Amino acid sequence: MKTIINTNYVKKIAFAVLALVSVFAVAQEEEEKKKFEFSGTVDAYYRANFNGLNKEIPDVDAGEQVGTFLPTAPGTSFANDPGFALGMVNLIASYEGEKVGFVADLVFGPRGEDAVFGSPNGSPNIVNQLYVYWNVSESTTLTFGNFNTFLGYEVISPASNFNYSTSYMFSYGPFSHAGLKADFDLGNDWSAMLAILNPTDFTDINPFGELSFGAQLGYSGQYLNFLYGKQGFNEVLDGESLVDTDVEALFQVDFTGGFNLSEDFFLGINATYQDTDGVGFYGAALYPQLTTSENFAIGLRGEYFATMDGFGNVAGIGADADGDANVFAVTLTGNAKVGDLTIIPELRLDSASEEVFLNGDLEFNESLASFLLAAVYSF
């Protein structure tokens, strides 16, 4: 009788242990399905010209505008300040559930301020991305809010780019969008995306009352992107009546992709064309990158960028009598890993069709050679 009692007792203990293990396994599985993550980057850099000024010169001819300077750096985004300069602090909080989740991406510092320039609510904006998403099915995801653009090879975060300085195509294409997008997994490495958006980079409000539309078709890491929509006020108030301004829609088509040519050699590709009633730009870039060891890689960005009907004045490369201009920029970049820190030395040569770069003799010429050393910490 005692033996039977002990056996029953052991069975009960074993059953309780199995139940606890099952509960723990289910809880662990639920925990794996619902993840809260906190990540980000911190970056800073040093920049110097070889054949140009290494200080900012106010442009007196520009009037009394504060902060208007003559060009002593490439007309691209983020890494243009002389001497030792700051990038940004990027803080990202995300929650991934089984079906729903969110991303809150905040930026602080000069790079962040430049990235969110299109949010004109009167106070400094620190929101780079802020969106929620719903995995409607295994093949369909809806995203609602403010998210970085789907066009182009480069991105805002310095940790996600191989080069620290940015291309002309990235600098004058969209940075971010606000709206609703649907991503579709079509199977066999095919994907698609459709989006209804605010005008480009207006991520807090829609001041124009116009909508833009985005689309993407992808196959095995190669993406063909489209953007279409009016980007300005269609009507203005003249006295007491509204006047039609006949704003034309912006159209952009963009290809982004790349190929692993070997285990250590990758070739990235970007080509784009943007037009608004004849005003715009087009260009192409190649990004060959060679990994030489676990902690070091070297890469090159070769970009040709051309503008139409005066857009080059906006892009900092000038314009000829017909309003056209172009620039060829070559950037040689190294990536050295020291734990979570990436050291990025960079040599860059910009050669433009117009004399737009100020040299050490206070004269304008067609080329600018520069050196940059950046440090990016990821956590």
Side-chain angles (χ1 to χ4, degrees):
M1 188 70 178
K2 185 176 179 181
T3 303
I4 295 175
I5 292 174
N6 288 340
T7 302
N8 289 337
Y9 181 75
V10 170
K11 287 181 178 178
K12 289 179 181 179
I13 293 293
F15 179 78
V17 170
L18 288 173
L20 286 173
V21 169
S22 298
V23 170
F24 178 77
V26 171
Q28 188 176 31
E29 184 179 354
E30 288 295 319
E31 185 178 352
E32 290 176 354
K33 289 180 180 178
K34 298 181 178 180
K35 296 180 180 179
F36 180 82
E37 294 185 355
F38 182 74
S39 61
T41 62
V42 175
D43 66 288
Y45 66 94
Y46 172 82
R47 186 184 176 283
N49 294 323
F50 293 116
N51 63 334
L53 293 177
N54 289 301
K55 58 184 178 180
E56 292 184 331
I57 303 295
D59 187 356
V60 178
D61 291 337
E64 299 300 323
Q65 300 178 40
V66 177
T68 302
F69 299 96
L70 293 172
T72 58
T76 52
S77 296
F78 303 149
N80 292 328
D81 292 329
F84 292 99
L86 301 180
M88 69 178 183
V89 179
N90 187 197
L91 304 177
I92 304 172
S94 63
Y95 180 81
E96 180 183 357
E98 184 178 0
K99 285 287 188 179
V100 298
F102 74 83
V103 170
D105 179 347
L106 307 181
V107 288
F108 307 85
R111 188 183 183 109
E113 292 173 4
D114 290 345
V116 297
F117 71 95
S119 302
N121 277 345
S123 59
N125 187 10
I126 61 172
V127 178
N128 180 35
Q129 299 185 95
L130 187 64
Y131 61 84
V132 296
Y133 63 87
W134 173 26
N135 296 318
V136 181
S137 67
E138 291 184 358
S139 60
T140 303
T141 299
L142 296 179
T143 302
F144 187 87
N146 164 17
F147 39 85
N148 290 159
T149 187
F150 52 93
L151 290 89
Y153 183 87
E154 300 176 21
V155 296
I156 292 170
S157 169
S160 300
N161 292 333
F162 189 90
N163 309 98
Y164 187 79
S165 69
T166 56
S167 69
Y168 287 88
M169 288 185 292
F170 166 78
S171 300
Y172 299 100
F175 281 176
S176 297
H177 308 281
L180 172 66
K181 67 172 182 172
D183 288 281
F184 306 98
D185 183 350
L186 304 179
N188 298 318
D189 292 330
W190 285 92
S191 65
M193 186 277 296
L194 296 173
I196 303 174
L197 309 164
N198 276 358
T200 295
D201 291 313
F202 285 90
T203 55
D204 289 359
I205 59 173
N206 185 343
F208 308 134
E210 301 284 351
L211 291 175
S212 293
F213 302 92
Q216 180 186 84
L217 181 64
Y219 175 72
S220 189
Q222 317 305 312
Y223 300 97
L224 187 61
N225 308 300
F226 300 91
L227 182 65
Y228 179 84
K230 294 183 177 181
Q231 308 295 311
F233 290 103
N234 200 39
E235 292 179 318
V236 296
L237 184 62
D238 185 10
E240 296 181 352
S241 39
L242 290 174
V243 178
D244 189 355
T245 58
D246 295 325
V247 172
E248 298 292 333
L250 175 148
F251 170 74
Q252 185 168 358
V253 57
D254 175 275
F255 173 78
T256 303
F259 304 92
N260 290 306
L261 301 181
S262 71
E263 184 177 346
D264 300 322
F265 187 73
F266 175 78
L267 178 63
I269 303 172
N270 187 204
T272 198
Y273 174 86
Q274 186 188 104
D275 177 82
T276 306
D277 194 26
V279 180
F281 61 84
Y282 56 93
L286 295 177
Y287 298 80
Q289 297 161 10
L290 177 65
T291 300
T292 60
S293 69
E294 183 180 352
N295 297 317
F296 187 77
I298 188 168
L300 188 74
R301 177 181 60 214
E303 178 191 19
Y304 176 79
F305 179 80
T307 60
M308 306 172 291
D309 200 14
F311 190 87
N313 291 317
V314 177
I317 62 171
D320 61 16
D322 297 323
D324 302 329
N326 63 75
V327 61
F328 181 67
V330 178
T331 306
L332 179 65
T333 303
N335 278 197
K337 302 286 185 180
V338 184
D340 293 325
L341 180 67
T342 303
I343 307 297
I344 308 174
E346 193 166 279
L347 293 171
R348 175 167 173 161
L349 175 63
D350 292 68
S351 180
S353 61
E354 308 303 311
E355 296 182 343
V356 292
F357 301 113
L358 191 65
N359 64 23
D361 297 324
L362 299 181
E363 297 175 345
F364 288 95
N365 60 19
E366 297 177 354
S367 66
L368 180 70
S370 57
F371 168 76
L372 184 148
L373 179 66
V376 181
Y377 185 86
S378 303
F379 57 90

